[in-house]
Coordinates of all heavy atoms in Angstrom, one line a residue:
P9 N 0.8 -1.2 0.0 CA 0.0 0.0 0.0 C 0.9 1.3 0.0 O 0.5 2.3 -0.6 CB -0.8 -0.1 1.3 CG -0.5 -1.4 2.0 CD 0.6 -2.1 1.2
W10 N 2.0 1.3 0.7 CA 2.8 2.5 0.7 C 3.3 2.9 -0.6 O 3.5 4.0 -1.0 CB 3.9 2.4 1.8 CG 5.0 1.3 1.4 CD1 5.0 0.0 1.7 CD2 6.1 1.6 0.5 NE1 6.1 -0.6 1.1 CE2 6.8 0.3 0.4 CE3 6.6 2.7 -0.2 CZ2 7.9 0.2 -0.4 CZ3 7.7 2.5 -0.9 CH2 8.4 1.3 -1.0
F11 N 3.6 1.8 -1.5 CA 4.1 2.1 -2.8 C 3.1 2.8 -3.7 O 3.5 3.8 -4.4 CB 4.6 0.8 -3.5 CG 5.2 1.0 -4.8 CD1 6.5 1.6 -4.9 CD2 4.5 0.7 -6.0 CE1 7.1 1.8 -6.1 CE2 5.1 0.9 -7.2 CZ 6.4 1.5 -7.3
S12 N 1.9 2.4 -3.6 CA 0.9 3.0 -4.5 C 0.6 4.4 -4.0 O 0.3 5.3 -4.8 CB -0.5 2.2 -4.4 OG -1.0 2.1 -3.1
E13 N 0.7 4.7 -2.7 CA 0.6 6.0 -2.2 C 1.7 6.9 -2.7 O 1.6 8.1 -3.1 CB 0.6 6.1 -0.7 CG -0.7 5.5 -0.1 CD -0.7 5.5 1.4 OE1 0.0 6.3 2.0 OE2 -1.4 4.7 2.0
A14 N 2.9 6.3 -2.7 CA 4.1 7.1 -3.2 C 4.0 7.4 -4.7 O 4.2 8.5 -5.1 CB 5.4 6.3 -2.9
V15 N 3.5 6.4 -5.4 CA 3.3 6.7 -6.9 C 2.3 7.8 -7.1 O 2.4 8.6 -7.9 CB 2.9 5.3 -7.6 CG1 2.4 5.6 -9.0 CG2 4.0 4.4 -7.6
S16 N 1.2 7.7 -6.3 CA 0.1 8.7 -6.4 C 0.7 10.1 -6.1 O 0.4 11.1 -6.8 CB -1.0 8.4 -5.5 OG -1.6 7.2 -5.8
T17 N 1.5 10.2 -5.1 CA 2.0 11.5 -4.6 C 3.0 12.0 -5.7 O 2.9 13.2 -6.0 CB 2.8 11.3 -3.3 OG1 1.9 10.8 -2.3 CG2 3.4 12.6 -2.8
V18 N 3.8 11.2 -6.3 CA 4.7 11.6 -7.3 C 4.0 12.1 -8.5 O 4.3 13.1 -9.1 CB 5.7 10.5 -7.7 CG1 6.5 10.8 -9.0 CG2 6.7 10.2 -6.6
S19 N 2.9 11.4 -9.0 CA 2.2 11.8 -10.1 C 1.5 13.1 -9.8 O 1.4 14.0 -10.7 CB 1.2 10.8 -10.6 OG 0.2 10.5 -9.7
L20 N 1.0 13.3 -8.6 CA 0.3 14.6 -8.3 C 1.4 15.7 -8.3 O 1.1 16.8 -8.8 CB -0.3 14.5 -6.9 CG -1.6 13.7 -6.8 CD1 -2.0 13.6 -5.3 CD2 -2.7 14.4 -7.6
D21 N 2.6 15.4 -7.8 CA 3.6 16.4 -7.8 C 4.0 16.8 -9.2 O 4.3 18.0 -9.5 CB 4.9 15.9 -7.0 CG 4.6 15.9 -5.5 OD1 3.6 16.5 -5.1 OD2 5.4 15.3 -4.8
L22 N 4.1 15.8 -10.1 CA 4.4 16.1 -11.5 C 3.4 16.9 -12.2 O 3.6 17.8 -13.0 CB 4.7 14.8 -12.3 CG 5.9 14.0 -11.9 CD1 6.0 12.7 -12.6 CD2 7.2 14.8 -12.1
E23 N 2.1 16.6 -11.9 CA 1.0 17.4 -12.5 C 1.1 18.9 -11.9 O 0.9 19.8 -12.7 CB -0.4 16.8 -12.1 CG -0.7 15.6 -12.8 CD -2.0 14.9 -12.3 OE1 -2.8 15.6 -11.7 OE2 -2.1 13.7 -12.5
K24 N 1.4 19.0 -10.7 CA 1.5 20.4 -10.1 C 2.7 21.1 -10.7 O 2.6 22.3 -11.0 CB 1.7 20.2 -8.5 CG 1.6 21.5 -7.8 CD 0.2 22.1 -7.8 CE 0.1 23.3 -7.0 NZ -1.1 24.0 -7.2
A25 N 3.8 20.4 -10.9 CA 4.9 21.0 -11.6 C 4.6 21.5 -13.0 O 5.0 22.6 -13.3 CB 6.1 20.1 -11.6
D26 N 3.9 20.7 -13.7 CA 3.5 21.1 -15.1 C 2.6 22.3 -15.0 O 2.7 23.3 -15.8 CB 2.8 19.9 -15.7 CG 2.6 20.2 -17.2 OD1 3.5 20.6 -17.9 OD2 1.5 19.9 -17.7
E27 N 1.6 22.4 -14.1 CA 0.7 23.5 -13.9 C 1.5 24.8 -13.6 O 1.3 25.8 -14.1 CB -0.3 23.2 -12.8 CG -1.4 22.3 -13.2 CD -2.3 22.0 -12.1 OE1 -2.4 22.8 -11.1 OE2 -2.9 20.9 -12.1
T28 N 2.5 24.6 -12.7 CA 3.3 25.7 -12.2 C 4.1 26.3 -13.4 O 4.2 27.5 -13.6 CB 4.2 25.3 -11.1 OG1 3.4 24.8 -10.0 CG2 5.0 26.5 -10.5
L29 N 4.7 25.4 -14.2 CA 5.5 25.8 -15.3 C 4.7 26.6 -16.3 O 5.1 27.7 -16.7 CB 6.1 24.6 -16.1 CG 6.8 24.9 -17.4 CD1 8.1 25.6 -17.2 CD2 7.0 23.6 -18.2
K30 N 3.5 26.1 -16.6 CA 2.6 26.8 -17.5 C 2.1 28.2 -16.9 O 2.0 29.1 -17.7 CB 1.4 25.9 -17.9 CG 1.8 24.8 -18.8 CD 0.7 23.9 -19.2 CE 1.2 22.8 -20.1 NZ 0.1 21.9 -20.5
A31 N 1.9 28.2 -15.7 CA 1.5 29.5 -15.0 C 2.6 30.5 -15.2 O 2.3 31.7 -15.5 CB 1.1 29.3 -13.6
F32 N 3.8 30.1 -14.9 CA 5.0 31.1 -15.0 C 5.3 31.5 -16.4 O 5.9 32.6 -16.6 CB 6.2 30.5 -14.3 CG 6.1 30.7 -12.8 CD1 6.0 29.6 -11.9 CD2 6.2 31.9 -12.2 CE1 6.0 29.7 -10.6 CE2 6.2 32.1 -10.8 CZ 6.1 31.0 -10.0
T33 N 5.1 30.6 -17.3 CA 5.5 30.9 -18.7 C 4.3 31.3 -19.6 O 4.5 31.4 -20.8 CB 6.2 29.7 -19.3 OG1 5.3 28.6 -19.2 CG2 7.5 29.4 -18.5
K34 N 3.2 31.5 -19.1 CA 2.0 31.8 -19.9 C 2.2 33.1 -20.7 O 1.9 33.1 -21.9 CB 0.8 32.0 -19.0 CG -0.5 32.2 -19.8 CD -1.7 32.4 -18.9 CE -3.0 32.6 -19.7 NZ -4.1 32.6 -18.9
D35 N 2.7 34.1 -20.1 CA 3.0 35.4 -20.9 C 4.0 35.2 -22.0 O 3.8 35.7 -23.1 CB 3.5 36.5 -19.9 CG 2.4 37.0 -19.0 OD1 1.2 36.8 -19.3 OD2 2.8 37.6 -18.0
A36 N 5.0 34.4 -21.7 CA 6.0 34.1 -22.7 C 5.4 33.3 -23.9 O 5.7 33.6 -25.1 CB 7.2 33.4 -22.1
A37 N 4.6 32.4 -23.6 CA 4.0 31.5 -24.6 C 3.0 32.4 -25.4 O 3.0 32.2 -26.7 CB 3.2 30.4 -23.9
M38 N 2.3 33.3 -24.8 CA 1.3 34.1 -25.5 C 2.1 35.1 -26.4 O 1.7 35.3 -27.6 CB 0.4 34.9 -24.6 CG -0.6 34.1 -23.9 SD -1.6 33.0 -24.9 CE -2.4 34.1 -26.0
F39 N 3.2 35.6 -26.0 CA 4.0 36.5 -26.8 C 4.6 35.8 -28.0 O 4.5 36.2 -29.1 CB 5.2 37.1 -26.0 CG 6.2 37.9 -26.8 CD1 5.8 39.2 -27.1 CD2 7.4 37.4 -27.2 CE1 6.7 40.0 -27.9 CE2 8.2 38.1 -27.9 CZ 7.9 39.4 -28.3
K40 N 5.0 34.5 -27.8 CA 5.6 33.7 -28.8 C 4.5 33.4 -29.9 O 4.8 33.5 -31.1 CB 6.2 32.4 -28.3 CG 6.9 31.6 -29.3 CD 7.7 30.5 -28.6 CE 8.9 30.9 -28.0 NZ 10.0 31.4 -28.8
I41 N 3.3 33.0 -29.5 CA 2.3 32.6 -30.4 C 1.8 33.9 -31.2 O 1.4 33.8 -32.4 CB 1.2 31.8 -29.8 CG1 0.4 31.0 -30.8 CG2 0.2 32.7 -29.0 CD1 1.1 29.9 -31.5
E42 N 1.8 35.1 -30.6 CA 1.4 36.3 -31.2 C 2.5 36.7 -32.3 O 2.1 37.1 -33.4 CB 1.2 37.4 -30.2 CG -0.1 37.2 -29.5 CD -0.3 38.1 -28.3 OE1 0.5 39.0 -28.1 OE2 -1.2 37.9 -27.5
E43 N 3.7 36.5 -32.0 CA 4.8 36.7 -32.9 C 4.7 35.8 -34.1 O 4.8 36.2 -35.3 CB 6.2 36.5 -32.3 CG 6.6 37.5 -31.3 CD 7.3 38.7 -32.0 OE1 8.2 38.5 -32.7 OE2 6.8 39.8 -31.8
F44 N 4.3 34.5 -33.8 CA 4.1 33.5 -34.9 C 2.9 33.9 -35.7 O 3.0 33.9 -37.0 CB 3.9 32.2 -34.2 CG 3.5 31.1 -35.2 CD1 4.5 30.5 -35.9 CD2 2.2 30.6 -35.3 CE1 4.2 29.5 -36.8 CE2 1.9 29.6 -36.2 CZ 2.9 29.0 -37.0
A45 N 1.9 34.4 -35.2 CA 0.7 34.8 -35.9 C 1.0 36.0 -36.8 O 0.5 36.1 -37.9 CB -0.5 35.2 -35.0
A46 N 1.8 36.9 -36.3 CA 2.2 38.1 -37.1 C 3.0 37.7 -38.4 O 3.0 38.4 -39.4 CB 3.1 39.0 -36.3
A47 N 3.6 36.5 -38.4 CA 4.4 36.0 -39.5 C 3.4 35.5 -40.6 O 3.9 35.0 -41.7 CB 5.4 35.0 -39.1
S48 N 2.1 35.4 -40.4 CA 1.1 35.0 -41.3 C 1.4 33.6 -41.9 O 1.5 33.4 -43.1 CB 0.9 36.0 -42.5 OG 0.6 37.2 -42.0
P49 N 1.4 32.6 -41.0 CA 1.7 31.2 -41.6 C 0.5 30.7 -42.4 O -0.7 31.1 -42.2 CB 1.8 30.3 -40.3 CG 1.2 31.1 -39.2 CD 1.3 32.6 -39.6
Y50 N 0.8 29.8 -43.4 CA -0.3 29.3 -44.2 C -1.3 28.5 -43.4 O -0.9 27.8 -42.5 CB 0.4 28.4 -45.3 CG -0.6 27.6 -46.1 CD1 -1.3 28.3 -47.2 CD2 -0.9 26.3 -45.9 CE1 -2.2 27.6 -47.9 CE2 -1.9 25.6 -46.7 CZ -2.5 26.3 -47.7 OH -3.4 25.7 -48.5
D51 N -2.6 28.6 -43.7 CA -3.7 27.9 -43.1 C -3.8 28.2 -41.6 O -4.3 27.4 -40.8 CB -3.4 26.4 -43.3 CG -4.7 25.6 -43.2 OD1 -5.8 26.2 -43.5 OD2 -4.7 24.4 -43.0
F52 N -3.4 29.4 -41.2 CA -3.5 29.8 -39.8 C -5.0 30.3 -39.5 O -5.5 31.0 -40.3 CB -2.5 31.0 -39.5 CG -2.6 31.5 -38.1 CD1 -1.9 31.0 -37.1 CD2 -3.4 32.7 -37.8 CE1 -2.0 31.5 -35.8 CE2 -3.5 33.2 -36.6 CZ -2.7 32.6 -35.5
T53 N -5.5 29.8 -38.4 CA -6.9 30.2 -38.1 C -7.0 31.1 -36.8 O -7.6 32.1 -36.9 CB -7.8 29.0 -37.9 OG1 -7.2 28.1 -37.0 CG2 -8.0 28.2 -39.2
S54 N -6.4 30.6 -35.7 CA -6.4 31.4 -34.5 C -5.2 31.1 -33.7 O -4.5 30.0 -33.9 CB -7.7 31.1 -33.7 OG -7.6 29.8 -33.1
T55 N -4.8 32.0 -32.8 CA -3.6 31.7 -31.9 C -3.9 30.5 -31.0 O -2.9 29.7 -30.8 CB -3.3 33.0 -31.1 OG1 -4.5 33.3 -30.3 CG2 -2.8 34.1 -31.9
D56 N -5.1 30.3 -30.5 CA -5.3 29.2 -29.6 C -5.2 27.9 -30.4 O -4.6 26.9 -29.9 CB -6.8 29.3 -29.0 CG -6.9 30.4 -28.0 OD1 -5.9 30.8 -27.5 OD2 -8.0 30.8 -27.8
A57 N -5.8 27.8 -31.6 CA -5.7 26.6 -32.4 C -4.2 26.3 -32.8 O -3.8 25.1 -32.7 CB -6.5 26.7 -33.6
A58 N -3.5 27.3 -33.2 CA -2.1 27.1 -33.6 C -1.3 26.7 -32.4 O -0.4 25.8 -32.5 CB -1.6 28.4 -34.2
M59 N -1.5 27.3 -31.3 CA -0.7 26.9 -30.1 C -1.0 25.5 -29.7 O -0.1 24.7 -29.3 CB -1.0 27.9 -28.9 CG 0.0 27.7 -27.8 SD -0.1 29.1 -26.7 CE 0.6 28.4 -25.2
E60 N -2.2 25.1 -29.7 CA -2.6 23.7 -29.4 C -1.9 22.7 -30.3 O -1.4 21.7 -29.9 CB -4.1 23.6 -29.5 CG -4.6 22.3 -28.9 CD -6.2 22.3 -28.8 OE1 -6.8 23.2 -28.3 OE2 -6.7 21.3 -29.3
E61 N -1.9 23.0 -31.6 CA -1.3 22.1 -32.6 C 0.2 22.1 -32.4 O 0.8 21.0 -32.3 CB -1.5 22.6 -34.0 CG -2.9 22.2 -34.5 CD -3.0 22.5 -36.0 OE1 -2.3 21.8 -36.8 OE2 -3.8 23.4 -36.4
L62 N 0.9 23.2 -32.2 CA 2.3 23.2 -32.0 C 2.8 22.6 -30.7 O 3.7 21.8 -30.7 CB 2.8 24.7 -32.2 CG 2.8 25.2 -33.6 CD1 3.0 26.8 -33.5 CD2 3.8 24.6 -34.5
V63 N 2.1 22.9 -29.6 CA 2.4 22.3 -28.4 C 2.1 20.8 -28.4 O 2.9 20.0 -27.9 CB 1.6 23.0 -27.2 CG1 1.8 22.2 -25.9 CG2 2.2 24.4 -27.0
G64 N 1.1 20.4 -29.1 CA 0.8 19.0 -29.2 C 1.9 18.3 -30.0 O 2.2 17.1 -29.6
K65 N 2.4 18.9 -31.0 CA 3.5 18.3 -31.8 C 4.9 18.3 -31.1 O 5.6 17.3 -31.0 CB 3.6 18.9 -33.1 CG 4.7 18.3 -34.0 CD 4.8 18.9 -35.3 CE 5.9 18.1 -36.1 NZ 6.2 18.5 -37.3
L66 N 5.2 19.5 -30.5 CA 6.5 19.7 -29.9 C 6.7 19.4 -28.4 O 7.7 19.2 -28.0 CB 7.0 21.1 -30.2 CG 6.9 21.6 -31.7 CD1 7.1 23.1 -31.7 CD2 8.0 20.9 -32.4
G67 N 5.6 19.6 -27.7 CA 5.7 19.7 -26.3 C 5.8 21.1 -25.8 O 6.3 22.0 -26.6
Y68 N 5.4 21.5 -24.6 CA 5.3 22.8 -24.2 C 6.7 23.5 -24.1 O 6.9 24.6 -24.5 CB 4.6 22.9 -22.8 CG 4.2 24.3 -22.4 CD1 3.2 25.0 -23.0 CD2 4.9 24.9 -21.4 CE1 2.9 26.3 -22.6 CE2 4.6 26.2 -20.9 CZ 3.6 26.9 -21.6 OH 3.3 28.1 -21.2
S69 N 7.6 22.7 -23.5 CA 9.0 23.3 -23.3 C 9.7 23.6 -24.6 O 10.3 24.6 -24.8 CB 9.8 22.4 -22.4 OG 9.3 22.3 -21.1
K70 N 9.6 22.6 -25.5 CA 10.2 22.8 -26.8 C 9.6 23.9 -27.6 O 10.3 24.7 -28.3 CB 10.1 21.5 -27.6 CG 10.9 21.4 -28.9 CD 12.3 21.2 -28.5 CE 13.1 20.9 -29.8 NZ 14.5 20.9 -29.5
F71 N 8.3 24.1 -27.5 CA 7.6 25.2 -28.1 C 8.2 26.5 -27.6 O 8.5 27.4 -28.4 CB 6.1 25.2 -27.8 CG 5.3 26.4 -28.1 CD1 5.0 26.7 -29.4 CD2 5.0 27.3 -27.1 CE1 4.3 27.9 -29.7 CE2 4.3 28.5 -27.4 CZ 3.9 28.7 -28.7
L72 N 8.4 26.6 -26.3 CA 8.9 27.9 -25.7 C 10.4 28.1 -26.2 O 10.8 29.3 -26.3 CB 8.9 27.8 -24.2 CG 7.5 27.9 -23.6 CD1 7.6 27.7 -22.1 CD2 6.9 29.3 -23.9
E73 N 11.1 27.1 -26.4 CA 12.5 27.2 -26.8 C 12.7 27.7 -28.2 O 13.7 28.3 -28.6 CB 13.3 25.9 -26.6 CG 13.4 25.4 -25.2 CD 14.0 24.0 -25.1 OE1 14.4 23.5 -26.1 OE2 13.9 23.5 -24.0
M74 N 11.8 27.4 -29.1 CA 11.9 27.6 -30.5 C 11.7 29.1 -30.9 O 10.9 29.7 -30.3 CB 11.0 26.7 -31.3 CG 11.3 25.3 -31.3 SD 10.3 24.3 -32.4 CE 11.5 23.2 -33.1
S75 N 12.5 29.5 -32.0 CA 12.3 30.8 -32.5 C 11.1 30.8 -33.4 O 10.5 29.7 -33.8 CB 13.5 31.2 -33.3 OG 13.6 30.4 -34.5
T76 N 10.6 32.0 -33.8 CA 9.5 32.1 -34.8 C 9.8 31.3 -36.1 O 9.0 30.6 -36.6 CB 9.1 33.5 -35.0 OG1 8.8 34.2 -33.8 CG2 7.9 33.7 -36.0
K77 N 11.0 31.5 -36.6 CA 11.4 30.8 -37.8 C 11.3 29.3 -37.7 O 10.9 28.6 -38.5 CB 12.9 31.2 -38.2 CG 13.3 30.8 -39.5 CD 14.7 31.3 -39.9 CE 15.1 30.9 -41.2 NZ 16.4 31.5 -41.6
Q78 N 11.8 28.8 -36.5 CA 11.7 27.3 -36.3 C 10.3 26.9 -36.2 O 9.9 25.8 -36.7 CB 12.5 27.0 -35.0 CG 14.0 27.1 -35.1 CD 14.7 27.0 -33.8 OE1 14.2 27.5 -32.8 NE2 15.8 26.3 -33.8
L79 N 9.4 27.7 -35.5 CA 8.0 27.3 -35.4 C 7.4 27.3 -36.8 O 6.5 26.5 -37.1 CB 7.3 28.3 -34.5 CG 7.6 28.2 -33.0 CD1 7.0 29.3 -32.2 CD2 7.2 26.8 -32.4
M80 N 7.8 28.3 -37.6 CA 7.2 28.3 -39.0 C 7.6 27.0 -39.8 O 6.7 26.5 -40.5 CB 7.7 29.5 -39.8 CG 7.2 30.9 -39.3 SD 5.5 31.1 -39.6 CE 5.5 31.5 -41.3
K81 N 8.8 26.5 -39.6 CA 9.2 25.2 -40.2 C 8.3 24.1 -39.7 O 7.9 23.2 -40.5 CB 10.6 25.0 -40.0 CG 11.6 25.8 -40.8 CD 13.0 25.4 -40.6 CE 13.9 26.3 -41.4 NZ 15.3 26.0 -41.3
Q82 N 8.1 24.1 -38.4 CA 7.3 23.0 -37.8 C 5.8 23.1 -38.3 O 5.2 22.1 -38.6 CB 7.3 23.1 -36.3 CG 8.6 22.7 -35.7 CD 9.1 21.3 -36.0 OE1 8.3 20.4 -36.0 NE2 10.4 21.1 -36.3
W83 N 5.3 24.3 -38.4 CA 4.0 24.6 -38.9 C 3.8 24.1 -40.4 O 2.8 23.5 -40.7 CB 3.6 26.0 -38.8 CG 2.2 26.4 -39.2 CD1 1.8 26.8 -40.4 CD2 1.0 26.2 -38.4 NE1 0.5 27.0 -40.4 CE2 0.0 26.6 -39.2 CE3 0.8 25.8 -37.1 CZ2 -1.3 26.6 -38.7 CZ3 -0.5 25.8 -36.6 CH2 -1.5 26.2 -37.4
A84 N 4.9 24.3 -41.1 CA 4.9 23.9 -42.5 C 4.8 22.4 -42.7 O 4.2 21.9 -43.7 CB 6.1 24.4 -43.3
T85 N 5.3 21.6 -41.7 CA 5.2 20.2 -41.8 C 3.7 19.8 -41.4 O 3.3 18.7 -41.9 CB 6.1 19.5 -40.8 OG1 5.8 19.8 -39.5 CG2 7.6 19.8 -41.1
L86 N 3.0 20.6 -40.6 CA 1.6 20.3 -40.3 C 0.7 20.8 -41.3 O -0.4 20.2 -41.6 CB 1.3 20.9 -38.9 CG 2.0 20.4 -37.7 CD1 1.8 21.3 -36.5 CD2 1.5 19.0 -37.4
H87 N 1.0 21.9 -41.9 CA 0.2 22.6 -42.9 C 1.0 23.0 -44.1 O 1.3 24.2 -44.3 CB -0.5 23.9 -42.3 CG -1.4 23.6 -41.1 ND1 -2.7 23.3 -41.3 CD2 -1.1 23.5 -39.8 CE1 -3.2 23.1 -40.0 NE2 -2.2 23.2 -39.2
P88 N 1.3 22.0 -45.0 CA 2.1 22.4 -46.2 C 1.4 23.3 -47.1 O 0.2 23.2 -47.4 CB 2.4 21.1 -46.9 CG 1.7 20.0 -46.1 CD 1.0 20.6 -44.9
D89 N 2.1 24.3 -47.6 CA 1.5 25.3 -48.5 C 1.7 24.8 -49.9 O 2.8 24.6 -50.4 CB 2.3 26.7 -48.3 CG 1.7 27.8 -49.2 OD1 0.9 27.5 -50.1 OD2 2.1 28.9 -49.0
P90 N 0.6 24.5 -50.7 CA 0.7 24.0 -52.0 C 1.5 24.9 -53.0 O 2.3 24.4 -53.8 CB -0.7 23.9 -52.5 CG -1.6 24.1 -51.4 CD -0.8 24.7 -50.3
A91 N 1.4 26.2 -52.8 CA 2.2 27.1 -53.7 C 3.7 27.0 -53.4 O 4.5 27.0 -54.3 CB 1.7 28.6 -53.4
A92 N 4.1 26.9 -52.1 CA 5.5 26.7 -51.8 C 6.0 25.4 -52.3 O 7.1 25.3 -52.8 CB 5.7 26.8 -50.3
A93 N 5.2 24.4 -52.3 CA 5.6 23.1 -52.7 C 5.9 23.1 -54.2 O 6.8 22.5 -54.7 CB 4.5 22.0 -52.4
K94 N 5.0 23.8 -55.0 CA 5.2 23.9 -56.4 C 6.5 24.7 -56.7 O 7.3 24.3 -57.7 CB 4.0 24.7 -57.1 CG 2.8 23.8 -57.2 CD 1.7 24.6 -57.8 CE 0.4 23.8 -57.8 NZ -0.8 24.6 -58.3
K95 N 6.8 25.7 -56.0 CA 8.1 26.4 -56.2 C 9.3 25.5 -55.9 O 10.3 25.6 -56.6 CB 8.2 27.6 -55.2 CG 7.3 28.8 -55.6 CD 7.4 29.9 -54.6 CE 6.4 31.0 -54.9 NZ 6.4 32.1 -53.9
E96 N 9.2 24.7 -54.9 CA 10.3 23.8 -54.6 C 10.5 22.8 -55.7 O 11.6 22.4 -56.0 CB 10.0 23.0 -53.2 CG 10.2 23.9 -52.0 CD 11.6 24.3 -51.8 OE1 12.5 23.5 -51.9 OE2 11.8 25.5 -51.5
K97 N 9.4 22.3 -56.3 CA 9.5 21.3 -57.4 C 10.2 21.9 -58.6 O 10.9 21.2 -59.3 CB 8.1 20.7 -57.7 CG 7.6 19.8 -56.7 CD 6.3 19.2 -57.1 CE 5.8 18.2 -56.1 NZ 4.4 17.7 -56.4
K98 N 9.9 23.2 -58.9 CA 10.5 23.9 -60.0 C 12.0 24.0 -59.9 O 12.7 24.1 -60.9 CB 9.8 25.2 -60.2 CG 8.4 25.1 -60.8 CD 7.8 26.5 -61.0 CE 6.4 26.3 -61.6 NZ 5.8 27.6 -61.8
K99 N 12.5 24.1 -58.7 CA 14.0 24.3 -58.5 C 14.7 23.1 -58.9 O 15.1 22.3 -59.3 CB 14.3 24.6 -57.0 CG 13.8 26.0 -56.7 CD 14.2 26.3 -55.2 CE 13.8 27.7 -54.8 NZ 14.2 28.0 -53.5

């Protein structure tokens, strides 16, 4: 029984740590996604949807570490621009 209690406590602590990280970095994440939106990525709908997709693909910490240019490359793998693909084929 003590082991299951320890496992429960550790998982609760990890959830709390994740919540704390997101609370402290919320402003940074919002700034980053607004910068990303300003770059007008292909097939962009909203900052919330884009952030959800990028964080889902990369993870929250990796999302925060990446530059706008790096995020644009990741976005292009999720939402390829047909016009850009045609230009690449011509080269």
Side-chain angles (χ1 to χ4, degrees):
W10 66 268
F11 183 74
S12 62
E13 287 178 27
V15 169
S16 300
T17 302
V18 168
S19 67
L20 284 174
D21 288 346
L22 291 175
E23 287 174 22
K24 189 68 174 169
D26 192 44
E27 287 175 23
T28 304
L29 172 70
K30 288 181 179 176
F32 278 111
T33 58
K34 184 178 181 178
D35 289 341
M38 290 310 298
F39 175 78
K40 186 169 285 290
I41 200 67
E42 286 168 8
E43 288 273 307
F44 176 76
S48 304
Y50 174 77
D51 206 20
F52 179 84
T53 54
S54 72
T55 54
D56 290 339
M59 188 165 164
E60 190 173 309
E61 279 189 68
L62 288 167
V63 169
K65 181 176 182 184
L66 304 168
Y68 191 72
S69 295
K70 192 74 171 169
F71 168 78
L72 288 174
E73 291 172 13
M74 291 188 139
S75 69
T76 302
K77 188 174 182 178
Q78 291 169 319
L79 289 174
M80 291 292 283
K81 285 183 180 179
Q82 292 299 319
W83 183 262
T85 63
L86 293 168
H87 300 272
D89 183 350
K94 287 179 184 176
K95 286 180 187 175
E96 287 294 317
K97 285 182 182 177
K98 287 183 180 180
K99 288 183 180 180

